[in-house]
Amino acid sequence: MFILIGLLFLALYGILVFYIGWSGWKWMKPMVSARFKWLYAAALVFLASSFILGRFVGSVPALSVLGSYWLAAFSLLLMLLPIVHIGLWLFKLTKLPYHRVQKWAGSVTLLILVSLLSYGTYNAYSPVVRSYEIRIDKPAGELRELNVVMAADMHFGLLSGKAHAKRMVEEINALKPDLVLYPGDIIDDDLDVYLDQGIGEILSGVQATYGVYASLGNHDKYKGRMEELIDALERSGMDVLYDEALSLEGKLTLIGRKDKTESDRAALETLMAEVPRDRPIVLIDHQPYGLDIAAENGVDLMVSGHTHRGQIAPAHLITRAIYENDWGHLQKGEFHSIVTSGYGFWGPPIRLGSRSEIVQIHLSFGEG
């Protein structure tokens, strides 16, 4: 069954690649030699294969980088080209010379593609700070306020590398946080790349009064034992809460859940069995599911990531349909959910309709 699905996927992918290639050739054909056709076809096949090959040939990082950018161009062209072809068909109804219209259409399409890739790269590598004011009407010891900074979906690896990590550390420290939270997808499926680039050493430079705490996401995976991954991340200066509840000096409770994809993930009710409800409760859960369950169990604030806010529009319409809160702040009674669009990216280093971000949460508490 899986083989059949895989073959159908490859067939559909091949048809879409052919459509893009045929469109490009129709534009270039009047301007190049016919012998160029074979070079063009070979280059297209190589580009179309690069994303798949990059996942299997880890020893050639350039393939993964090239494949990621191809995936971005592929996605954008599938949105642009149907519009271009409809426009060309309408122009046939006019007296304008069709070959000139086709030439200009191809040039404009290429310009739009390059512009979108450039703008999307800027959005991915130029994070902004989003701020939220949250009031929890429970006492937190002598604390009246807490400056919480959150970053998720860093996907540290080849493209979200050392420079992006250094930028994150500098921006977090500039916010002078009391507490830092990482709700998952810290690495991009490959712990070796994270370690080889020294990203862990960079992250250890984050400074927070009450420490740095993380949960794991669906891309925080390792070929060995999960304990080895957790140990590596904790050497980076963070405490990983892996289906654990922790009292922060008796002031509030932090709960970090295993990712929803893990079959042995404990029920929230189990994790909260001995958690006092008269103190603020903050839940770190990578995927923003089960908001009602969290609210019913007395969670005051749930922080999540995972959605990327679609990363490349119009995918944000899909995430908005799937999740009750796919980005930003949602309040339901006394319960608050905050979902970040993420600091990094998955696949292509492109963001359109979304922006790389760090979240600052100004928490205020009730009096005892």
Side-chain angles (χ1 to χ4, degrees):
M1 183 64 180
F2 288 110
I3 295 175
L4 179 60
I5 293 173
L7 290 174
L8 289 173
F9 171 79
L10 287 175
L12 176 61
Y13 180 61
I15 291 169
L16 294 175
V17 170
F18 176 81
Y19 169 64
I20 290 172
W22 172 81
S23 301
W25 180 247
K26 290 284 286 184
W27 172 59
M28 289 190 297
K29 187 177 179 180
M31 299 180 284
V32 299
S33 165
R35 281 181 283 185
F36 180 76
K37 175 172 64 175
W38 302 111
L39 179 61
Y40 172 74
L44 184 65
V45 170
F46 175 70
L47 283 172
S49 306
S50 60
F51 180 74
I52 299 171
L53 292 173
R55 292 280 158 176
F56 295 100
V57 189
S59 58
V60 187
L63 269 177
S64 295
V65 175
L66 184 65
S68 294
Y69 276 101
W70 157 256
L71 185 62
F74 174 78
S75 304
L76 292 172
L77 285 171
L78 287 182
M79 291 186 281
L80 289 172
L81 289 176
I83 299 172
V84 172
H85 286 135
I86 292 172
L88 287 172
W89 179 78
L90 292 174
F91 271 113
K92 281 185 176 181
L93 305 178
T94 70
K95 295 183 179 180
L96 293 170
Y98 182 74
H99 68 281
R100 288 188 181 179
V101 172
Q102 187 180 45
K103 179 180 178 180
W104 277 103
S107 300
V108 170
T109 302
L110 181 60
L111 177 62
I112 292 174
L113 176 63
V114 172
S115 299
L116 288 175
L117 289 174
S118 300
Y119 179 64
T121 300
Y122 172 80
N123 279 344
Y125 285 111
S126 303
V128 296
V129 176
R130 310 271 184 204
S131 295
Y132 301 96
E133 302 276 347
I134 302 294
R135 170 78 177 178
I136 297 177
D137 287 319
K138 293 180 182 178
E142 72 280 5
L143 280 180
R144 292 294 174 265
E145 295 180 342
L146 195 67
N147 180 22
V148 180
V149 175
M150 171 176 69
D153 300 283
M154 293 80 94
H155 289 271
F156 285 128
L158 286 172
L159 290 168
S160 180
K162 291 178 68 174
H164 208 40
K166 288 178 181 177
R167 188 180 301 115
M168 187 185 83
V169 171
E170 290 170 359
E171 297 219 14
I172 288 177
N173 287 340
L175 295 172
K176 302 185 185 312
D178 297 318
L179 178 67
V180 173
L181 305 177
Y182 299 147
D185 278 1
I186 299 161
I187 67 172
D188 195 30
D189 297 304
D190 193 338
L191 180 62
D192 292 334
V193 177
Y194 174 88
L195 296 175
D196 292 344
Q197 291 201 17
I199 293 174
E201 296 173 16
I202 295 169
L203 296 189
S204 65
V206 171
Q207 299 173 0
T209 306
Y210 294 103
V212 180
Y213 297 89
S215 66
L216 299 185
N218 55 301
H219 286 277
D220 293 315
K221 303 299 180 187
Y222 185 52
K223 297 174 185 175
R225 295 183 303 116
M226 185 58 76
E227 288 79 4
E228 296 177 54
L229 170 64
I230 292 173
D231 287 345
L233 293 177
E234 292 195 332
R235 290 196 300 272
S236 304
M238 65 189 82
D239 289 321
V240 177
L241 299 179
Y242 195 53
D243 262 1
E244 299 172 65
L246 177 144
S247 175
L248 199 65
E249 299 184 4
K251 297 175 174 63
L252 56 86
T253 300
L254 294 177
I255 302 172
R257 299 196 72 183
K258 292 181 178 180
D259 185 66
K260 193 175 186 295
T261 57
E262 299 201 42
S263 58
D264 62 343
R265 169 163 121 146
L268 184 59
E269 296 91 332
T270 303
L271 292 177
M272 297 186 63
E274 299 182 8
V275 172
R277 302 303 202 271
D278 60 342
R279 297 285 181 177
I281 301 171
V282 177
L283 174 64
I284 315 168
D285 195 352
H286 177 62
Q287 301 191 39
Y289 286 104
L291 304 191
D292 287 334
I293 295 173
E296 290 165 6
N297 279 275
V299 171
D300 298 294
L301 171 62
M302 175 176 169
V303 294
S304 308
H306 184 65
T307 70
H308 293 219
R309 203 192 179 193
Q311 188 163 319
I312 298 178
H316 65 290
L317 299 177
I318 298 174
T319 59
R320 190 183 300 170
I322 293 174
Y323 302 98
E324 184 177 6
N325 181 23
D326 77 315
W327 178 66
H329 173 224
L330 174 69
Q331 182 173 359
K332 303 180 73 172
E334 299 299 315
F335 169 78
H336 300 267
S337 161
I338 292 181
V339 180
T340 174
S341 64
Y343 182 79
F345 36 80
W346 182 84
I350 303 294
R351 281 185 172 273
L352 293 170
S354 67
R355 185 78 180 265
S356 173
E357 68 178 23
I358 292 171
V359 171
Q360 184 176 33
I361 308 169
H362 299 281
L363 279 181
S364 61
F365 305 104
E367 296 183 5

